[in-house]
Amino acid sequence: ASGVALVAAGHPFDTVKVRLQTRDGARRFGGPLDCVRQTVRYEGVRGLYKGATPPMVMTGAINSLMFGAMGMCRERRSGSGARPIGVLDVMVCGTQVGVLLAFVVAPMEHVKAKLQVQYDGARRQYRGPIDCVRQLLRNNAYDP
């Protein structure tokens, strides 16, 4: 439930940020407020939530993986709780967990961003997140 609330509250800000960061968006919008105005005018409020499905679905799994891996790393570094861990141990664990999460979060962010910058419903390239993943794999995956 907290992941859904997080996405519901924060995703419109992320959509505006992603749109302004693209080459097309930088020319299309006069700033963040203009981006919100135009998005709502031409796409409705739902336009601010384009690409929200992947983070909505994945947030719980990502948090579970992050806290579980961090707990396991801390326990391993403390000798199963025999000694308290220091700041360096926490930094090492955080780095290891961050590298692990990058393999989960980066593909999800890629799909989310692709969906967020589809402005015109008539010319959209992806029908949704699953179609986006299929096309990305078909067109960009390594095939020996």
Side-chain angles (χ1 to χ4, degrees):
S2 65
V4 172
L6 173 73
V7 173
H11 195 78
F13 296 102
D14 189 63
T15 298
V16 170
K17 174 193 66 112
V18 168
R19 287 183 169 195
L20 291 173
Q21 287 176 333
T22 63
R23 183 174 38 238
D24 186 43
R27 288 190 302 258
R28 182 181 289 238
F29 306 113
L33 292 178
D34 184 48
C35 181
V36 171
R37 220 177 353 263
Q38 285 192 47
T39 300
V40 171
R41 180 184 302 142
Y42 297 113
E43 303 172 58
V45 174
R46 289 183 67 185
L48 294 171
Y49 288 92
K50 280 187 176 177
T53 303
M56 189 100 47
V57 170
M58 294 295 294
T59 299
I62 290 167
N63 286 340
S64 295
L65 179 61
M66 177 179 59
F67 287 116
M70 189 69 172
M72 287 172 42
C73 183
R74 289 174 63 120
E75 185 174 321
R76 189 185 44 184
R77 295 200 60 89
S78 72
S80 296
R83 65 171 180 81
I85 65 170
V87 173
L88 182 61
D89 293 316
V90 173
M91 290 172 59
V92 168
C93 289
T95 301
Q96 291 174 349
V97 172
V99 169
L100 172 68
L101 285 179
F103 289 98
V104 177
V105 175
M108 180 204 66
E109 287 286 324
H110 189 151
V111 170
K112 176 187 64 89
K114 289 281 193 184
L115 294 170
Q116 285 175 316
V117 296
Q118 291 191 121
Y119 301 108
D120 186 359
R123 294 184 312 177
R124 69 182 184 174
Q125 183 176 357
Y126 309 108
R127 291 187 309 268
I130 293 172
D131 182 53
C132 183
V133 169
R134 281 187 187 134
Q135 287 190 49
L136 288 171
L137 287 173
R138 185 178 336 117
N139 299 328
N140 301 304
Y142 175 72
D143 188 16

